[in-house]
Amino acid sequence: MTEILPADKAGVARAAAMLRRGALVAFGTETVYGLGGDATNAEAVAAIFHAKGRPHFNPLICHYPSSDSAFRHVVANERALRVADAFWPGPLTLVLPRRPDCPVALLTSAGLDTLAVRVPAQPVAMALLRETGRPVAAPSANRSGQVSPTSAQHVLDGLAGRIAAVLDSGPCKVGVESTVLDLSERDPVLLRPGGVTVEDLEACLGPIQRGTPHAAGQAGEGLRSPGMMVSHYAPDLPVRLNAATVADDEALLAFGPPLPGGRCQFQLSASGDTIEAAGRLFEGLRWLDANGARLGARGIAVMPVPDSGLGLAINDRLQRAAAPRGG
Ligand code: AMP
Ligand code: MG
């Protein structure tokens, strides 16, 4: 059962308590309804992908009640401070480097060194974020492949029974997604047009490049939409899938009862739970990459993960990690 919570003090308090214990709560912003989960809780973030039925992991936007709280988790450069001052709270998302001590789960960034952060302008959303006291990861609150919801009823149409609650703050004012601006490189790049116009951003920052395909083509992502043009995290060590045995000079990414051998191993889920495994996937690849190399491993062997539930998204990412890389 999905609870419908009113946008009053009690409703916000209940929604915040649910988020803090790892449950999923959809909430209205000025753009569209977001499907929120505690961004510091890897299993809650994995549950977001599960509820949406997404067949792949892409980085999620992390929502904060203020620019100060956002900039505690990412490194703000001079440009970021300027646009944040001009457009936050509002429909603008900034992609910036994660701080080394950033507590946000790696799955939220899909394993990347950057994090997309936003301070939404909707008063109920701001109250919820303040009360939760944690960054909230939230993609649009719809099933994968369906249109973004702009009312609580739209959210229920797609996700009733799949999430703990929806905080009903009425229809969304803007109705289109936030503008995504990448400020993590030397020049600003527009990754997705949205609620804040490029003209307004350029008046503040000077010329902005329109979404370049980064490593997207290379990763076989295709040119689906500008916002999807994100490079993918892949470990430096070569990755071997569907391993039935582990060689002495390999590191093991285990799923279920681990194979014997190898230089070191990382368990995705001892019980074979794909949601738990999804939450640990990027952590595991990074850990094996660093420790495997240190211990003299020459590759990462990956045990088979079933294609059911989030296994599909896990396998999609593992296949990309295992694909031959040019240059
Ligand atoms: P949605 O979750 O549907 O609002 O979409 C989030 C958008 O932000 C997607 O288009 C993502 O590709 C983009 N995005 C989020 N995080 C990053 C990141 N770290 N680097 C580049 N793009 C990102
Ligand atoms: Mg969406």
Side-chain angles (χ1 to χ4, degrees):
M1 263 299 291
T2 298
E3 284 182 44
I4 304 169
L5 301 172
D8 57 17
K9 219 164 178 274
V12 168
R14 181 156 175 77
M18 286 172 155
L19 285 169
R20 278 197 302 269
R21 66 169 158 76
L24 303 185
V25 178
F27 62 99
T29 72
E30 76 276 30
T31 59
V32 302
Y33 271 72
L35 173 46
D38 175 356
T40 64
N41 177 339
E43 274 205 53
V45 178
I48 293 176
F49 290 99
H50 185 71
K52 284 184 70 87
R54 249 191 205 170
H56 54 87
F57 298 122
N58 59 338
L60 304 178
I61 297 170
C62 224
H63 296 74
Y64 293 85
S66 65
S67 34
D68 282 353
S69 51
F71 293 153
R72 276 199 283 275
H73 293 176
V74 289
V75 183
N77 46 36
E78 196 268 328
R79 284 193 182 103
L81 294 173
R82 216 180 323 151
V83 282
D85 206 43
F87 300 102
W88 276 354
L92 175 68
T93 295
L94 301 179
V95 174
L96 291 165
R98 293 171 65 110
R99 288 186 186 274
D101 60 350
C102 177
V104 171
L106 266 183
L107 180 59
T108 307
S109 319
L112 299 171
D113 296 319
T114 54
L115 182 67
V117 296
R118 172 160 106 89
V119 179
Q122 221 281 356
V124 180
M126 292 176 97
L128 175 67
L129 293 167
R130 242 179 278 119
E131 179 97 13
T132 304
R134 315 245 172 100
V136 174
S140 54
N142 52 276
R143 293 296 293 264
S144 182
Q146 319 224 290
V147 296
S148 297
T150 52
S151 72
Q153 188 54 51
H154 291 170
V155 174
L156 292 170
D157 290 347
L159 296 173
R162 301 180 69 88
I163 59 177
V166 53
L167 182 60
D168 185 356
S169 52
C172 303
K173 283 216 177 72
V174 179
V176 297
E177 272 100 348
S178 61
T179 303
V180 181
L181 182 66
D182 186 350
L183 294 178
S184 68
E185 308 278 345
R186 204 174 57 89
D187 297 315
V189 179
L190 180 78
L191 294 180
R192 177 176 78 183
V196 170
T197 66
V198 196
E199 289 78 7
D200 284 347
L201 286 174
E202 288 191 322
C204 181
L205 287 183
I208 294 173
Q209 273 175 261
R210 311 304 202 255
T212 51
H214 288 308
Q218 196 178 311
E221 181 73 66
L223 301 181
R224 261 183 281 170
S225 81
M228 297 295 294
M229 296 175 205
V230 177
S231 32
H232 293 288
Y233 168 74
D236 289 330
L237 288 177
V239 173
R240 183 170 69 85
L241 301 180
N242 292 315
T245 58
V246 194
D248 280 348
D249 63 354
E250 283 184 315
L252 176 68
L253 187 62
F255 181 83
L259 295 166
R263 293 282 154 108
C264 56
Q265 51 174 260
F266 186 97
Q267 179 60 265
L268 286 177
S269 169
S271 64
D273 174 352
T274 53
I275 296 186
E276 182 185 22
R280 292 170 58 76
L281 176 64
F282 293 106
E283 224 89 54
L285 287 171
R286 283 198 184 239
W287 190 88
L288 290 175
D289 211 17
N291 290 278
R294 191 172 52 78
L295 296 171
R298 295 213 292 214
I300 298 173
V302 181
M303 289 176 63
V305 176
D307 260 336
S308 56
L310 275 186
L312 202 62
I314 293 172
N315 285 324
D316 169 75
R317 187 47 59 101
L318 287 171
Q319 274 145 21
R320 290 172 200 278
R325 272 160 259 165

